[in-house]
Amino acid sequence: MANKIPRVPVREQDPAIRATNFEEVCYGYDLEEATLEASRCLRCKNPRCVAACPVGIRIPDFIAALHEGRLQEAADIISEDSSLPSICGRVCPQESQCEGSCILGIKSEPVAVGKLERFVGDWKLEHGAPVQPAAVRNGRKVAVIGSGPAGLACASDLARMGYEVKIFEALHKVGGVLVYGIPEFRLPKERIVAREIAQVERLGVGIETDVIVGRTVTIDSLLDDEGYDAVFIGSGAGLPRFMGIPGENLNGVVSANEFLTRANLMHAYDKAYDTPIYVGQRVVVVGGGDVAVDAAISAKRLGASSVSMVSLESEAELPAYPHNIADARDEGIDFQCGWGPVRVEGTDAVSGLAVKACLSVKDASGAFRPSFDEAQTRTIPADAVIFAIGQAADLDPFAEDVAITPRRTIETAAFTFETSRPDVFAAGDAASGPASAIQAIAGGREAAFSMDRYLRGGQILANRAAVRETVDKDRLPGEGVLLSPRNERAVTDAPGFGERRRGLDLHAVLAEGMRCMTCGAKARIAYNDDCMTCFTCELRCPAEAINVHPFKEPLPRTLEIHCED
């Protein structure tokens, strides 16, 4: 059976070697490895992975095409829903999305969907058919603010629909968080990001850098003076957050946003660039998320002798994804979990970080409300402190154009991403708060769909369920399966030496008999019109006593028992 094949391991740089460079950690699959891993997919009739994917990629279909050697078709299937497969295959949190919903993950390891998407995306960049712009333009113009995942996705879809699209980027380089926030060792910039963006440009999308909308130009000037019919805001969340504790203004204190921007966008890791960056020898990174992990690993690779991560959360509660935590541990990052910063120590420059023990991060209702043991404190020696406790969107340039929520995000309508202004739409971190790249892409695509309907005079919300069909959770294979309780014999107060435990009646006998897993007999299940061939029964059986028969044929014999009251 396909599900008996173990997950194909992926090749990576040795931790001792990669700690000295900024080259990509994961090498990815070659064709043989990708084909073998693709053979593990069960191709479920109601695939949970598709329902869990924010953009609804037809995952079993592209994996089937890959397995059968039809790589261009696999790339085309992914392109229906994602314009950035090489990027998403590297940075998306598959553990909590497609792979986290894979049926195989119940008793074994899920299919490596992310690694397969990466393989197909990389193959497309090297060998795929060239991207062609829309054959017919409809005469409408759309401005896209921001060239991050949301902006790129929105621009791509609108260009395919026939719109003239132009992206306005505030920085000197295109890509948003993909170029300034994610380290080179996780996402190569020239080899992957630049080439994915080139695919977007081939669709006919124009890009202008060094344009700060709200200052260089305004939304009103784009609409009234430059002839754009609608505007999409995908400016991301690039402002750092600090705690407001004493000592944050000391030399040696920096935000992860600035630290990573200098390392990534400004190539501080490359000696060919003269980018100033202060690393220090003893670095403390405040935070337990993926940005904190990226900052910690980057500091170590930039020359720090010791790097510690201080987090409120316990080790089991760390919000960073497990594979990123494992990478950090492999490279010698020290995790100081369950501690909250009190102040940054030092006179002119940092000398340490004073912390106190964190007893809990959330209250009984689940709200973020840390509690501390004020008596349990200590100081961690440091000459550099990097704060990685979250990001916020810079919404001041748009405050007079669209409504802003109390959470400092752009107020948008659920699912359609309309703002308070009819001709302006928004998605990505600026609208949702910090989230994953694939969630930003999903928002950008839905916004593009809404903008198309708005500009054509259609009903924006009508029949939106038809955009991407998903399976209701209560219909997913394996959901709601209940274990039948054991049918116990009744105990009576029989006098004398009378039998106290009575036997089971016929109904109870039949019900108890149905609980038997026929261990050793290896029960076979033949396909029929009601079987979805999801393999849930085989995978969930603790005794591995069920074998889903691979052919449509009747079982050798059928036992029918009729019960009458």
Side-chain angles (χ1 to χ4, degrees), residues 8 35 62 68 96 99 148 217 230 237 257 272 409 473 478 517 553:
V8 178
T35 303
F62 100 72
E68 295 166 11
S96 60
E99 294 182 17
V217 297
N257 299 58
T409 58
K473 187 173 181 180
M517 295 179 179
E553 62 181 39

Side-chain angles (χ1 to χ4, degrees), residues 164-488:
E164 180 183 341
V165 185
K166 190 170 188 178
I167 296 175
F168 296 92
E169 170 55 48
L171 297 176
H172 66 280
K173 202 162 188 179
V174 184
V177 69
L178 302 174
V179 295
Y180 74 74
I182 303 176
E184 181 78 10
F185 53 79
R186 285 187 60 203
L187 183 63
K189 304 301 179 284
E190 296 302 321
R191 185 167 61 87
I192 300 300
V193 178
R195 295 170 74 182
E196 291 267 50
I197 292 172
Q199 299 269 50
V200 176
E201 291 182 280
R202 291 190 187 101
L203 291 169
V205 175
I207 300 177
E208 185 175 348
T209 57
D210 300 307
V211 178
I212 303 177
V213 176
R215 295 186 177 92
T216 311
V217 297
T218 65
I219 288 179
D220 283 337
S221 66
L222 289 172
L223 294 167
D224 299 335
D225 302 332
E226 299 192 31
Y228 288 95
D229 299 288
V231 173
F232 171 79
I233 302 174
S235 54
L239 293 182
R241 293 185 186 274
F242 286 92
M243 297 181 63
I245 59 176
E248 286 184 344
N249 61 338
L250 290 171
N251 291 329
V253 176
V254 68
S255 71
N257 299 58
E258 179 182 346
F259 185 78
L260 290 173
T261 297
R262 288 180 179 273
N264 302 328
L265 180 66
M266 302 170 70
H267 297 271
Y269 67 89
D270 191 339
K271 294 182 180 179
Y273 289 78
D274 190 21
T275 300
I277 186 170
Y278 177 72
V279 179
Q281 288 300 306
R282 297 175 299 178
V283 179
V284 173
V285 179
V286 179
D290 293 299
V291 173
V293 171
D294 287 344
I297 294 177
S298 296
K300 191 68 181 291
R301 295 188 181 198
L302 285 168
S305 58
S306 68
V307 180
S308 299
M309 283 180 57
V310 173
S311 64
L312 296 174
E313 298 87 358
S314 66
E315 186 170 347
E317 297 171 323
L318 285 173
Y321 284 99
H323 67 273
N324 289 336
I325 296 173
D327 284 347
R329 291 194 184 282
D330 287 344
E331 297 187 29
I333 306 301
D334 176 46
F335 284 80
Q336 298 287 331
C337 299
W339 295 94
V342 176
R343 63 185 173 276
V344 181
E345 301 282 12
T347 305
D348 295 320
V350 173
S351 62
L353 180 70
V355 296
K356 58 184 176 181
C358 181
L359 302 178
S360 62
V361 178
K362 298 179 180 179
D363 62 17
S365 67
F368 179 77
R369 191 171 286 110
S371 63
F372 300 95
D373 180 355
E374 302 291 343
Q376 189 176 353
T377 63
R378 66 191 184 98
T379 297
I380 303 173
D383 51 20
V385 175
I386 302 173
F387 281 89
I389 57 172
Q391 301 83 238
D394 181 9
L395 301 180
D396 289 343
F398 313 115
E400 296 182 4
D401 298 296
V402 295
I404 308 299
T405 70
R407 295 174 52 241
R408 294 295 296 169
T409 58
I410 297 174
E411 184 177 285
T412 57
F415 199 73
T416 64
F417 298 91
E418 302 165 88
T419 69
S420 57
R421 182 167 175 170
D423 48 7
V424 178
F425 297 74
D429 291 358
S432 66
S436 66
I438 192 63
Q439 288 171 315
I441 290 172
R445 300 197 71 231
E446 294 291 355
F449 190 87
S450 297
M451 296 172 82
D452 177 54
R453 283 195 167 182
Y454 165 75
L455 293 171
R456 290 190 293 107
Q459 294 294 322
I460 295 179
L461 192 57
N463 300 317
R464 287 304 286 272
V467 175
R468 175 166 65 90
E469 293 184 2
T470 58
V471 182
D472 292 337
K473 187 173 181 180
D474 58 1
R475 291 179 52 222
L476 291 176
E479 296 289 344
V481 176
L482 299 178
L483 297 176
S484 299
R486 175 186 171 99
N487 291 269
E488 300 290 353

Side-chain angles (χ1 to χ4, degrees), residues 456-535:
R456 290 190 293 107
Q459 294 294 322
I460 295 179
L461 192 57
N463 300 317
R464 287 304 286 272
V467 175
R468 175 166 65 90
E469 293 184 2
T470 58
V471 182
D472 292 337
K473 187 173 181 180
D474 58 1
R475 291 179 52 222
L476 291 176
E479 296 289 344
V481 176
L482 299 178
L483 297 176
S484 299
R486 175 186 171 99
N487 291 269
E488 300 290 353
R489 292 182 293 169
V491 180
T492 63
D493 294 327
F497 283 80
E499 188 175 26
R500 297 185 65 245
R501 292 188 177 272
R502 296 189 176 182
L504 302 177
D505 59 23
L506 178 59
H507 289 280
V509 167
L510 295 176
E512 186 65 18
M514 292 178 66
R515 297 178 65 242
C516 177
M517 295 179 179
T518 62
C519 302
K522 200 68 177 179
R524 293 196 308 163
I525 309 297
Y527 290 178
N528 57 43
D529 291 338
D530 294 326
C531 179
M532 295 186 297
T533 64
C534 66
F535 296 85

Side-chain angles (χ1 to χ4, degrees), residues 13-213:
Q13 275 199 81
D14 182 88
I17 297 175
R18 73 190 192 217
T20 64
N21 63 59
F22 269 73
E23 296 176 8
E24 191 170 17
V25 171
C26 178
Y27 292 131
Y29 287 144
D30 58 24
L31 177 59
E32 181 180 358
E33 292 166 335
T35 303
L36 180 59
E37 180 63 21
S39 71
R40 299 180 64 238
C41 179
L42 301 177
R43 305 181 194 178
C44 306
K45 182 177 180 181
N46 286 322
R48 305 184 347 160
C49 55
V50 175
C53 175
V55 296
I57 293 173
R58 293 191 287 123
I59 293 170
D61 293 342
F62 100 72
I63 291 179
L66 166 59
H67 179 240
E68 295 166 11
R70 295 176 280 111
L71 298 181
Q72 183 60 56
E73 182 179 340
D76 292 342
I77 291 171
I78 295 175
S79 295
E80 293 173 3
D81 301 293
S82 174
S83 54
L84 307 171
S86 288
I87 292 173
C88 291
R90 285 169 166 82
V91 302
C92 281
Q94 290 96 4
E95 300 99 324
S96 60
Q97 294 175 352
C98 53
E99 294 182 17
S101 299
C102 178
I103 283 288
L104 281 179
I106 295 174
K107 289 186 64 179
S108 180
E109 291 186 279
V111 174
V113 178
K115 298 298 186 293
L116 296 179
E117 181 184 17
R118 165 184 166 157
F119 173 82
V120 174
D122 289 1
W123 179 91
K124 180 182 178 182
L125 292 178
E126 294 289 343
H127 308 95
V131 175
Q132 298 294 334
V136 179
R137 293 296 182 188
N138 59 26
R140 298 294 189 92
K141 294 173 61 177
V142 176
V144 172
I145 302 172
S147 64
L152 292 171
C154 181
S156 298
D157 281 12
L158 288 171
R160 290 191 181 97
M161 296 173 188
Y163 291 92
E164 180 183 341
V165 185
K166 190 170 188 178
I167 296 175
F168 296 92
E169 170 55 48
L171 297 176
H172 66 280
K173 202 162 188 179
V174 184
V177 69
L178 302 174
V179 295
Y180 74 74
I182 303 176
E184 181 78 10
F185 53 79
R186 285 187 60 203
L187 183 63
K189 304 301 179 284
E190 296 302 321
R191 185 167 61 87
I192 300 300
V193 178
R195 295 170 74 182
E196 291 267 50
I197 292 172
Q199 299 269 50
V200 176
E201 291 182 280
R202 291 190 187 101
L203 291 169
V205 175
I207 300 177
E208 185 175 348
T209 57
D210 300 307
V211 178
I212 303 177
V213 176

